[in-house]
Structures are given as structure tokens and as C-alpha cells.
Amino acid sequence: MADHRLYKDLSYLFPIITPAEHYADCASQWRQLLRTHLGSGKHRILEFGVGGGHNLSHLRDDFEATAVDISPDMLELSRKLNPTVRHVLGDMRSVDLGETFKAVLIHDAISYLTRVDDLRSTVATAARHLDPDGVFIMAPDYFSETFIPNRVTSFTNHVDGKTVTFLEHVWDPDPADTEIEVNMFFLIMQDGALKVEEDRHYLGLFSRQIWEKVLQEEGFKVEWVPCPYLEGDLTGWLIVARYGT
Ligand SMILES: C[S@@+](CC[C@H](N)C(=O)[O-])C[C@H]1O[C@@H](n2cnc3c(N)ncnc32)[C@H](O)[C@@H]1O
């Protein structure tokens, strides 16, 4: 899980292929949900898998945020973008900060869980960090119900003298399991030279029924909020979970 090049030696490409500005609309939906569930105030929030801190960069001034990620390189990116946020190295499946928050957020990082046992341990970690009247929000990239196999996305971005073309192919080698494979290619043009890098990620693919079951086991009630801001042309749901019946 910690071996992705995009979150290690290629982390410098993350802000180029997915600039923080692109998260403004998505973050405004998260802010609205947080306000609906928590009311006004600079509430304490916790994000697991903060990545480059791009979504959080649009929320950090309205809330008191703590951010966790398994990758030291990504934490460093987020620290630079969000200097007022507390950053902690940790795995969302097991980290224990010994404190609770009004909200636990896991944006697209939740997609890196590929087994139901990982979902269970992460939901338990979130529960351990959540106030009884708090809210837990997640944004998986893919759901079994809406998954489109053999999907290719590509685009070119220009930043700081670099032109980076990103190409991604997503497929499901074994529809009987809960894992899909994403192959990424980066064509990096700088000073008249072209460098090609590649990376492979494995992501989870679960049905809404599995999500509901795992969350209910931990005592959560689930609300599905349509989300138009997932990657590319994907549509899906934010999973909003609270304790209750
Ligand atoms: C796509 S990035 C998140 C980007 C983020 N939404 C943003 O706005 O910048 C996914 C992140 O999940 C992190 N991650 C993957 N598995 C993790 C785990 N088990 N615990 C904590 N972080 C994890 C990766 O290190 C990576 O930084």
C-alpha cells in the first residue's frame, strides 16, 4: 500500500496532475455537509489519507484540522500547502491519536482499501476518533454499481515550465474479487526533453450494500449523498455516517 510511486519519488507530480484549485467545488460540498451536521463554529476535524492536502486546503481555515497519511512525501506536500494543520504519519487502518473529533473525513484515499477486512478496521479507526455526535464522511472513487471497466482518462497540464501528460487505464482483472487495477503513465516534458514514468495502483471495488453492512456493524447509520465531483467524468456518492438508529 505504501509502494505507490505517485506518493513517493513521483509525489512532485501530484500537484501538477491534480491542482489544489480543482478541489474548490468538491470542498464546498464537504463544507456544506459539515455545517449541516455540526452547525457553525471552528470544529475539530480529522482527515485520514490527506494526500497533498488539496481538498483540505479549502476547509482548513473554517475548521481546526488534523491530517494523517501513510506517506511521508505526501504529508510533506500537505504541510507546505496547509502549514496551520497538524500532520501525523499513520495508517488509517490502525492509527490511534488518543483523542476524538467532531468529524472524520476520508476523501478518495478510502479507495486504497481493497479488502473488506481493511474497510472494517478503517471504520473502527474512524469510530475510535469520532465524538458521539460527530459525522464521518468518505468519498470512494468507485462502486460496483457504477464501475466502467477498461476506462481511459488522459489530459495535459502545464506548470512551472513542465508539461505533464497523464494517462490512466482502469480495469478489473478478476471481477470475482474486490480489487481493481489502475495503470498510470506520466509523460514529462521539460527543457526539450521527454521522460516517461509509470505507476500501478490497486484500488477497492465494493457495492453500496457492503459499505452499509460494514458501517452498520460499527453502529453507524448511513446517508448516501450524490457527488458530482469525483475524478474525471465519474459520478458517485459521498458516504455520510452518524451514530443512530
Ligand atoms: C489520492 S491521494 C489523496 C488526495 C487528497 N484527497 C487530496 O485532496 O490531496 C491518496 C492518499 O491516500 C494515502 N493512503 C493510502 N492508503 C493509506 C492508509 N492505509 N492510511 C493512510 N493514508 C493512506 C496515500 O499515501 C495518498 O497520499
Side-chain angles (χ1 to χ4, degrees):
M1 189 169 279
D3 288 334
H4 304 111
R5 293 191 64 203
L6 184 57
Y7 307 135
K8 282 165 83 174
D9 63 304
L10 299 182
S11 62
Y12 72 97
L13 294 172
F14 188 81
I16 301 177
I17 61 164
T18 174
E21 310 85 84
H22 291 187
Y23 291 70
D25 290 341
C26 172
S28 90
Q29 186 182 23
W30 287 65
R31 185 185 302 101
Q32 207 177 327
L33 274 171
L34 289 168
R35 289 288 172 229
T36 302
H37 287 282
L38 305 178
S40 60
K42 199 159 182 168
H43 301 291
R44 280 160 47 78
I45 63 171
L46 171 65
E47 180 169 4
F48 290 146
V50 70
H54 291 192
N55 206 41
L56 190 59
S57 68
H58 301 279
L59 301 171
R60 57 147 198 257
D61 295 336
D62 300 328
F63 301 94
E64 188 190 321
T66 295
V68 171
D69 202 282
I70 203 169
S71 154
D73 297 287
M74 296 306 281
L75 276 180
E76 200 42 45
L77 280 182
S78 180
R79 242 184 230 116
K80 278 196 191 119
L81 184 63
N82 304 303
T84 55
V85 169
R86 174 169 63 134
H87 287 84
V88 181
L89 186 66
D91 186 327
M92 62 176 128
R93 294 166 298 179
S94 56
V95 70
D96 190 352
L97 303 181
E99 53 191 291
T100 58
F101 296 80
K102 280 284 179 199
V104 176
L105 315 177
I106 315 179
H107 192 240
D108 46 2
I110 195 73
S111 309
Y112 284 92
L113 304 178
T114 58
R115 298 174 315 146
V116 174
D117 279 352
D118 289 332
L119 297 189
R120 284 206 177 93
S121 47
T122 300
V123 167
T125 310
R128 193 162 60 236
H129 290 90
L130 195 63
D131 287 342
D133 59 347
V135 63
F136 174 30
I137 308 177
M138 291 176 284
D141 277 334
Y142 301 101
F143 292 91
S144 314
E145 289 86 346
T146 49
F147 180 69
I148 303 167
N150 299 317
R151 190 169 157 275
V152 175
T153 309
S154 70
F155 55 81
T156 299
N157 286 349
H158 311 269
V159 176
D160 291 340
K162 286 193 195 66
T163 297
V164 179
T165 296
F166 174 76
L167 190 144
E168 174 184 88
H169 175 259
V170 184
W171 74 302
D172 187 357
D174 180 1
D177 70 15
T178 54
E179 191 172 85
I180 56 172
E181 186 180 304
V182 182
N183 285 285
M184 301 178 180
F185 300 88
F186 306 87
L187 290 84
I188 307 151
M189 293 249 5
Q190 189 171 22
D191 303 327
L194 175 68
K195 196 161 56 163
V196 182
E197 304 279 13
E198 58 186 279
D199 197 11
R200 177 173 293 169
H201 296 207
Y202 294 98
L203 303 181
L205 186 66
F206 302 97
S207 64
R208 285 174 45 157
Q209 195 185 6
I210 294 285
W211 280 108
E212 292 245 13
K213 184 169 181 297
V214 169
L215 285 155
Q216 281 166 3
E217 280 168 8
E218 198 63 47
F220 285 111
K221 188 178 169 209
V222 181
E223 184 194 346
W224 296 90
V225 178
C227 174
Y229 306 115
L230 298 180
E231 269 185 38
D233 54 357
L234 292 179
T235 51
W237 298 272
L238 297 182
I239 305 175
V240 180
R242 300 200 68 164
Y243 291 117
T245 49

